[in-house]
Each structure stands twice: as structure tokens, then as C-alpha cells.
Amino acid sequence: MTLYSTLLRPLLFRPDAETVHRAAMSFGAAAGFAGGALRSLTVVDDARLATTVAGLAFPSPVGLAAGFDKNGEAVDALAGLGFGFIEIGSVSAFASAGNPRPRLFRLPDDRAIAVAYGVPNDGAEIVAARLARVRLPVPLGINIVKTNFGAGAPPETDDAIVAEYMQAARALAPRADYLMFNLSCPNTVDGRDFFADRGRLDAWLAALSATPLPCPVFLKVSPLGGIAAIEQLLEAAAPHACIRGFMFNLPSAKPEGAMRTPRCVWQAMPGAVSGPPAAPLLDECLRECYRRMDRKRYVLFASGGVSSGADAYAKIRMGASLVALYTALIYDGPLVVRRMTRELAALLARDGFNSVADAVGIDNR
Ligand SMILES: Cc1cc2nc3c(=O)[nH]c(=O)nc-3n(C[C@H](O)[C@H](O)[C@H](O)COP(=O)(O)O)c2cc1C
């Protein structure tokens, strides 16, 4: 029981979820000036947590997943919560209103969220301008997606879709410590299916390799498609040296078997489900990918239902170098980051690890 769960959460869970999310972003944007001072109170100073991934120094492996700060409006305040990295977005080349509302739903029985936002964002140019003055104490990742022009928009050619990703990447890369390409948005028609096709994936990767980018690149891919899809991804990525790792996105289908919420509650809700119900499939992908990938070259980001140090530690031991969360922030409040990071440091110490990197994949070799 915390102050957040007993007093604040009941109040925050009364209005529509998106209204509260918007209010939290406005508050975070206004509170940016206090980020540095806040961080001195929240950061867990333990050398075991520090890790270097793809040449970037992360003070802790626990970061903010994409989707919370879609437009880079509140990064200073969010870094103040004690995260080891902040990933913003998804951002697309052009601004998008996303899908029609309502598009965000709480599933308290599962401590989960049903999300059908459809990647609304301000567009790459505006977000890049906003980030021009930002200097964070942790790596800033920018998640890039194809623009969602809405359900009635005319279909685009494959070349136009590829070109759009690269346009966004060129605009945003100078502001990013790393880029995460979202090749798998569960809430847009293009995002769901486009990259399952090997020819399209190869064409996209060739365009990526031909686009000089000053930072490491990661791919956020669909968890559907099983081992065959993972093997295809690794084979396709092999010739493209700029790719340094992968992350698995939420699946477009609801994980019915993993949910406590009755079907009659969620079946009318559009979208993907985050939080603990997403974990079994994402963990399976994490394990299978770690076993097959070239570990000298690639690293894995993990997410899905992480709300404790033990959750993060389990994913690290499965093969994740970095762990991102979103939904725990909603259910456990902003102090969850400090609690989790402390718990993770204690678990590493208990098991005799001097560095989080030493624990990566230890259960999966
Ligand atoms: C409301 C919401 C919006 C999200 N938006 C994005 C997004 O724009 N881009 C993206 O790559 N992932 C997005 N995600 C997925 C998260 O980054 C993360 O991978 C997923 O939620 C699993 O972590 P969690 O269980 O800690 O929430 C979103 C998730 C939620 C809950």
C-alpha cells in the first residue's frame, strides 16, 4: 500500500484514461525545471546498475518505454523519476491525430491497459525542434513509426512508406542517442502487416543502410510469427551493420488466455493489451531471440508487465540488456522507478554480480 495506490490512483482512475494521460503530460512539461533536483532524490547510486549498450552509457537498465511521452514534451521531468533511459514517441514523419477516441482503457483486474491510440504525434519536425535544447542525464531514445493517416486515407506505395521512415529518421537522429524503429505498431493497418513480408523488410533495411545516421539503431518488431519470424528477422538484419538490437512490441490480438478481466469487459475495447497479460508472449520472444542472435553484435530491450525489480531481473536473466516499462507507472505511480531500481540492485548484489551486464542471459544459455 502506498500513498499513490490508496489516495491518488482512485482519483486519477475516475476520469477517462486519455484525459488523465494528457494532464500528466502537461504537468510533466511544466515541472521540467525540477527534473534535476528530483533526480538527485530518486536515482539509485549503485555501480552494479551501470551498463554500456551499443556504445551508450546507461546509469541503470530500467527505462521508460515508448508511448508515454509521445512528443518529447516532458523528458526532463521523466528523467527526474530515476529512469536509466527515456524513449519518446512513436514519432512519424508527418503529424497524426491517431485513431478516433475512445482509444485508451484501463483493465484494473489485470493491472493492464488496452491501447488503440494509433500513434498520434506532432510529427518529426516539431518534435525535433522541441528537443533541440534538451540535455538529459540519461540516453534519449526516439521511437519512429510510419504516419497513421487514418482509416479512410488512400493506400501508399511501398516506396512511399520506406521513404517516410527515412525522412523521420533524418529529422530526429541528431536529437537522439538511439533510434528505435517501430516496425510493428499493433494499432495501425500498415504497422501490423507490412514488415511480415520479407521483400518489404529487405527493401526497408536497404534504405536504412543507405541513410547515414549518427546513432545506434534498434528495431521494435511484432511478437507474432513465432520462431520463423525471429529467424527471418535475424537473417534479414545480418548484412546491415547499423542495427544493434531488437525489442518486441505488444501483439495486436488480445492475450485472452493470460487475462483475468472477463471477455465481456474487453471484447468491445479496440487495441492491444499492455502490462502483465503481455508478458508471457514477449518473454517467449525474448528467450527465443536471445538464443539465436549474435550476442557480440546485438542486444535486446525487454518490456511487458515489469513492475518490480524481480520482474526486471527475470527479463535480464532471460537475455535483456535493457528493460522498459510503461503500465507500472500508471498502476504503481512515479515512485515505482526508484523502488524497482533499488530492488534490482539488491538482487544483483545477492547473486554476486558486479555488473548488470554479467547477469544478461544467464538463465538462457
Ligand atoms: C498507452 C500505450 C501507448 C503505447 N504507445 C507506443 C508507441 O507509440 N510506440 C511503441 O513502440 N510502443 C508503444 N507502447 C508499447 C510500450 O512501449 C511497451 O512496449 C508495452 O506497453 C509493454 O510494456 P508495459 O507492460 O510496461 O506497458 C504503448 C503502450 C501503451 C500502454
Side-chain angles (χ1 to χ4, degrees), residues 4-261:
Y4 178 85
S5 64
T6 49
L7 282 181
L8 267 178
R9 192 172 65 200
L11 292 176
L12 293 174
F13 274 26
R14 272 190 210 162
D16 154 74
E18 184 167 348
T19 305
V20 178
H21 183 201
R22 266 292 356 132
M25 289 312 305
S26 303
F27 180 75
F33 70 91
L38 190 59
R39 191 170 170 83
S40 63
L41 301 173
T42 57
V43 80
V44 178
D45 190 13
D46 188 317
R48 292 180 192 88
L49 295 165
T51 186
T52 299
V53 169
L56 298 172
F58 293 76
S60 130
V62 178
L64 178 66
F68 189 78
D69 187 352
K70 294 173 179 301
N71 294 303
E73 293 168 295
V75 287
D76 292 297
L78 288 165
L81 301 184
F83 284 112
F85 62 99
I86 304 287
E87 188 171 311
I88 66 149
S90 296
V91 185
S92 49
F94 304 103
S96 170
N99 291 337
R101 287 175 81 159
R103 52 194 183 175
L104 194 64
F105 310 88
R106 304 177 189 99
L107 296 166
D109 288 352
D110 281 299
R111 295 172 63 85
I113 298 172
V115 49
Y117 260 133
V119 288
N121 73 95
D122 292 343
E125 296 295 340
I126 289 180
V127 174
R130 183 174 293 134
L131 293 174
R133 285 181 302 279
V134 165
R135 298 286 173 272
L136 291 187
V138 295
L140 173 68
I142 305 185
N143 181 304
I144 293 179
V145 76
K146 155 145 174 25
T147 310
N148 177 11
F149 290 111
E156 290 171 81
T157 64
D158 291 3
D159 288 350
I161 291 174
V162 172
E164 228 201 75
Y165 268 103
M166 299 313 144
Q167 180 182 335
R170 279 191 297 272
L172 292 163
R175 308 280 180 256
D177 293 304
Y178 72 85
L179 293 181
M180 178 73 76
F181 284 94
N182 181 351
L183 304 188
S184 55
C185 180
N187 300 312
T188 62
V189 175
D190 296 327
R192 274 204 293 275
D193 303 326
F194 189 81
F195 292 99
D197 179 293
R198 175 69 193 265
R200 285 166 163 167
L201 180 60
D202 284 338
W204 186 91
L205 288 164
L208 178 72
S209 282
T211 307
L213 296 171
C215 58
V217 165
F218 304 93
L219 307 181
K220 193 165 181 179
V221 298
S222 168
L224 302 173
I227 290 172
I230 292 172
E231 287 178 345
Q232 169 168 291
L233 173 72
L234 293 172
E235 197 183 293
H240 303 282
C242 59
I243 295 170
R244 300 301 306 277
F246 309 99
M247 179 169 185
F248 292 92
N249 207 345
L250 297 174
S252 45
K254 303 255 183 339
E256 183 167 3
M259 290 177 70
R260 292 183 192 163
T261 310

Side-chain angles (χ1 to χ4, degrees), residues 242-300:
C242 59
I243 295 170
R244 300 301 306 277
F246 309 99
M247 179 169 185
F248 292 92
N249 207 345
L250 297 174
S252 45
K254 303 255 183 339
E256 183 167 3
M259 290 177 70
R260 292 183 192 163
T261 310
R263 167 181 260 276
C264 59
V265 174
W266 54 255
Q267 69 181 356
M269 295 174 179
V273 171
S274 71
L281 177 62
L282 296 183
D283 289 352
E284 184 64 14
C285 290
L286 178 70
R287 276 192 293 263
E288 296 297 343
C289 193
Y290 184 77
R291 276 184 208 139
R292 289 167 172 76
M293 72 185 195
D294 173 355
R295 296 175 204 155
K296 292 201 180 68
R297 172 174 165 191
Y298 298 124
V299 295
L300 295 172

